[in-house]
């Protein structure tokens, strides 16, 4: 494949597994962890356009919006308002780093349950908030919960899924994330006109948290995690459940035990291990993939799309409805990705999605420049506002079939067991710190850059697409324990990697 992406045939261990009812049910329960993150992404932007919410916490924004001559890009430029959104991601950064040790010592399932319980507390506090301090406290607890679940759930899915179907089953996390966004948008639309609507929107975050936490009681931990913690008999039972009672699981169990022993034989902290030269490609991907995902601008669009659409002339109700439309488009494109990711591979979807997003961001920037003027003070017709919505829907479709689900999949499948939890923590932590910076600065950047803010993201999309073409090898269908082969045969990474896992066996 051009650009150094090699499709490597993995060694066939004879126990690659198949789809069973237990695998499907277990993966659905684990993937439902995406609901809480998706609900938060979807609810935040809509709530910040609700007049009762702004009257109670941010009256200065309403006064600015009522001004005689206002720059459409600057109406919602408030550092305190953006802190309401971004504080969650700073808390998520901290908990995602702590989750590395938690997922290793307590297991993937228990970490998911812990995240759900903390998120539930944050949702309850936000729903009953009486001042900005309570809002921020609730957001911090929400962030702590999301940090734990975002770290543990993708790992769980990649470890439990058969290699042939790992991409599709891992995409379930993104699917539920998308469901959460759409549900939150619908609730915002239904409650926007009520004085207590914002409380209901924020408080209902407890529902997905309860569903996810109770669901976690119904599933066992992954065989890899159980073996890692020395629970061999429980790992055998878990393997029989997910592989089917007619399958001899002993060879796969022995392989998991062997890799666990190799991981434990390394007398070194995981962070020091992942910094070694032979793990350079893993470390680069742990930073680059989540960093690039946020620089597509998708979460900024999701957070602030109601504000953006209201600013360009759609009105409050239409703005909230537009956010729902974006969420539905993204959700549908995730389903398309699920169908193709294990057939055409990760690289194909990354590159195709990148091209679509690049074209749409440039088109949105040009359109806004023409219809709003250089200073953003011209009135926007409903027709042009709808055209902006159409372009952003195409952009959301490009994201949903590529960088949306694949950003959760790639970090969860490329790391060997010895650095798997720390690698996932670095990836999630990088995502949160980038989210924090971008969400805290987006409205100010929009105010100063105006239409060029979308060109900013377009430039990054071009960079990340080139990065994928040259530096990400294909990983479809390769068992986790054989993933070392993709790096040792890659045109660039092979200078760092020389069959590292094979060396560990000697």
């Amino acid at each position: 494949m051009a650009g150094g992406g090699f499709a490597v045939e993995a060694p066939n261990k004879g126990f690659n597994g198949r789809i069973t009812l237990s695998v499907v049910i277990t993966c659905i329960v684990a993937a439902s962890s995406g609901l809480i993150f998706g609900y938060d992404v979807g609810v935040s932007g809509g709530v910040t356009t609700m007049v009762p919410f702004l009257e109670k916490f941010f009256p200065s924004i309403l006064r600015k919006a009522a001004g005689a001559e206002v720059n459409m890009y600057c109406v919602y430029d408030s550092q305190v308002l953006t802190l309401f959104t971004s504080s969650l991601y700073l808390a998520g950064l901290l908990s995602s780093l702590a989750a590395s040790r938690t997922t290793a010592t307590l297991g993937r399932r228990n970490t998911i349950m812990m995240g759900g319980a903390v998120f539930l507390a944050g949702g309850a506090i936000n729903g009953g908030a009486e001042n900005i301090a309570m809002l921020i406290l609730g957001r911090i607890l929400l962030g702590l919960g999301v940090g734990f679940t975002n770290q543990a759930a993708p790992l769980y899915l990649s470890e439990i899924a058969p290699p042939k179907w790992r991409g599709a089953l891992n995409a379930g996390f993104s699917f539920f994330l998308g469901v959460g966004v759409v549900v939150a948008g619908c609730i915002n639309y239904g409650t926007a006109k009520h004085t207590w609507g914002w409380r209901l929107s924020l408080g209902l975050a407890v529902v997905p948290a309860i569903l996810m936490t109770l669901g976690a009681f119904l599933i066992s931990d992954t065989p890899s995690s159980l073996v890692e913690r020395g629970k061999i008999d429980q790992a055998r039972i878990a393997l029989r459940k997910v592989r089917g009672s007619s399958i001899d699981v002993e060879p796969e169990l022995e392989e998991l035990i062997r890799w666990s022993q190799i991981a434990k034989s390394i007398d070194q902290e995981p962070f020091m291990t992942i910094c070694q030269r032979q793990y350079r490609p893993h470390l680069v991907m742990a930073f680059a993939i989540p960093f690039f995902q946020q620089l597509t601008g998708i979460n900024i669009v999701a957070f602030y799309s109601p504000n953006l659409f209201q600013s360009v002339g759609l009105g409050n109700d239409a703005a909230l409805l537009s956010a729902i439309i974006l969420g539905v488009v993204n959700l549908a494109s995730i389903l398309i990705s699920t169908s193709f990711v294990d057939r055409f591979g990760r690289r194909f979807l990354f590159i195709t999605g990148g091209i679509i997003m690049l074209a749409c961001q440039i088109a949105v920037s040009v359109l806004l420049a023409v219809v709003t003027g250089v200073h953003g003070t011209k009135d926007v017709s409903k027709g042009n506002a709808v055209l902006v919505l159409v372009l952003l829907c195409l952009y959301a479709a490009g994201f949903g079939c590529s960088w949306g689900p694949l950003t959760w999949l790639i970090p969860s499948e490329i790391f060997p067991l010895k650095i798997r939890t720390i690698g996932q923590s670095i990836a999630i932590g990088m995502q949160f710190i980038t989210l924090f910076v971008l969400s805290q600065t987006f409205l100010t950047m929009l105010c100063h850059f105006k239409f060029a803010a979308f060109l900013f993201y377009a430039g990054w999309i071009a960079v990340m697409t080139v990065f994928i073409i040259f530096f990400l090898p294909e990983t479809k269908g390769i068992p986790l324990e054989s993933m070392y082969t993709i790096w040792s045969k890659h045109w660039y990474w092979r200078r760092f990697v020389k069959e590292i896992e094979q060396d560990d066996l000697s």
Side-chain angles (χ1 to χ4, degrees), residues 74-94:
C74 298
V75 172
Y76 292 94
D77 182 17
S78 166
Q79 287 300 301
V80 181
L81 178 62
T82 52
L83 183 62
F84 165 72
T85 298
S86 61
S87 57
L88 182 147
Y89 306 107
L90 189 58
L93 167 65
L94 298 177

Side-chain angles (χ1 to χ4, degrees), residues 36-269:
I36 63 174
F37 190 30
Y39 187 88
D40 179 79
V41 169
V43 82
S44 302
V47 164
T48 57
T49 66
M50 295 182 184
V51 173
F53 177 82
L54 294 174
E55 286 177 340
K56 185 172 182 63
F57 299 107
F58 306 99
S60 62
I61 291 178
L62 291 178
R63 291 194 296 269
K64 186 189 300 184
E69 177 120 347
V70 60
N71 184 330
M72 58 154 275
Y73 296 108
C74 298
V75 172
Y76 292 94
D77 182 17
S78 166
Q79 287 300 301
V80 181
L81 178 62
T82 52
L83 183 62
F84 165 72
T85 298
S86 61
S87 57
L88 182 147
Y89 306 107
L90 189 58
L93 167 65
L94 298 177
S95 64
S96 65
L97 296 178
S100 170
R101 189 168 296 276
T102 303
T103 51
T105 56
L106 300 181
R108 285 51 159 160
R109 187 196 74 155
N110 291 336
T111 302
I112 292 173
M113 292 168 57
M114 182 188 305
V118 176
F119 189 93
L120 192 155
I125 291 174
N126 267 178
E130 290 296 334
N131 51 56
I132 291 178
M134 288 185 69
L135 277 181
I136 301 302
L137 174 61
R139 296 290 293 174
I140 289 173
L141 290 176
L142 292 174
L144 294 175
V146 167
F148 283 118
T149 56
N150 284 9
Q151 203 271 358
L155 274 186
Y156 188 105
L157 291 166
S158 284
E159 289 182 345
I160 209 76
K164 185 178 179 181
W165 304 100
R166 188 172 59 242
L169 292 175
N170 192 285
F173 182 84
S174 290
F175 174 78
F176 277 101
L177 194 156
V179 170
V181 171
V182 172
V183 169
C186 292
I187 291 173
N188 281 342
Y189 184 76
T191 62
K193 295 182 179 180
H194 300 282
T195 56
W196 43 263
W198 64 270
R199 290 192 183 277
L200 186 60
S201 291
L202 294 178
L204 282 177
V206 303
V207 175
I210 291 172
L211 292 175
M212 183 198 75
T213 306
L214 293 179
F217 279 102
L218 304 177
I219 60 177
S220 62
D221 212 336
T222 69
S224 294
S225 178
L226 291 168
V227 168
E228 186 180 20
R229 291 179 287 140
K231 300 181 178 183
I232 307 301
D233 291 336
Q234 293 182 35
R236 182 179 288 108
I237 294 172
L239 270 176
R240 285 173 179 163
K241 284 183 179 179
V242 297
R243 298 296 182 244
S245 57
S246 62
I247 301 297
D248 180 13
V249 300
E250 290 303 318
E252 184 172 0
L253 180 62
E254 291 175 3
E255 186 74 2
L256 291 175
I257 293 173
R258 181 171 62 151
W259 285 106
S260 178
Q261 291 172 343
I262 292 171
K264 291 178 180 178
S265 68
I266 306 298
D267 187 19
Q268 197 171 41
E269 283 293 316

Side-chain angles (χ1 to χ4, degrees), residues 444-462:
T444 298
M445 183 179 75
L446 185 63
C447 180
H448 290 85
F449 283 24
K450 302 176 178 62
F451 60 87
F454 295 94
L455 286 180
F456 170 82
Y457 290 115
W460 279 108
I461 292 171

Side-chain angles (χ1 to χ4, degrees), residues 310-483:
Q310 188 168 346
S311 296
V312 299
L314 286 180
N316 187 59
D317 288 348
L320 292 174
L321 183 60
S322 299
I324 296 174
I325 294 172
L326 276 180
V328 170
V329 170
N330 181 62
L331 188 59
S333 60
I334 291 173
L335 291 176
I336 294 174
S337 173
T338 302
S339 303
F340 292 149
V341 65
D342 290 313
R343 183 180 304 176
F344 297 111
R346 285 63 159 150
R347 281 169 49 84
F348 172 80
L349 293 180
F350 266 131
I351 296 168
T352 303
I355 293 172
I356 294 172
M357 288 190 292
L358 176 62
C360 291
Q361 288 281 37
I362 293 174
V364 168
S365 180
V366 171
L367 177 62
L368 289 177
V370 171
V371 302
T372 66
V374 176
H375 301 292
T377 54
K378 292 183 180 179
D379 291 333
V380 180
S381 68
K382 288 293 191 294
N384 285 326
V386 170
L387 185 54
V388 171
L389 173 61
V390 170
L391 288 171
L392 288 181
C393 282
L394 291 174
Y395 161 81
F399 177 86
C401 70
S402 60
W403 283 90
L406 295 180
T407 297
W408 302 103
L409 171 61
I410 296 298
S412 69
E413 70 178 0
I414 63 172
F415 299 108
L417 183 61
K418 71 183 76 173
I419 57 171
R420 190 169 295 161
T421 59
I422 186 63
Q424 181 73 356
S425 286
I426 291 173
I428 299 301
M430 188 65 197
Q431 184 181 60
F432 278 126
I433 194 170
T434 310
L435 261 174
F436 172 76
V437 173
L438 291 178
S439 59
Q440 186 65 30
T441 59
F442 174 72
L443 290 177
T444 298
M445 183 179 75
L446 185 63
C447 180
H448 290 85
F449 283 24
K450 302 176 178 62
F451 60 87
F454 295 94
L455 286 180
F456 170 82
Y457 290 115
W460 279 108
I461 292 171
V463 170
M464 66 184 69
T465 302
V466 172
F467 176 85
I468 293 297
I469 291 172
F470 286 101
F471 296 107
L472 182 69
E474 185 55 67
T475 59
K476 72 168 183 174
I478 301 176
L480 297 183
E481 293 77 15
S482 303
M483 198 64 72

Side-chain angles (χ1 to χ4, degrees), residues 273-293:
T273 302
I274 201 173
C275 289
Q276 294 175 1
R277 176 180 172 83
Q278 61 261 42
Y279 298 116
R280 187 71 49 78
H282 307 74
L283 188 61
V284 169
M285 295 301 164
F287 280 104
I289 297 295
F291 174 74
F292 283 146
Q293 186 210 40

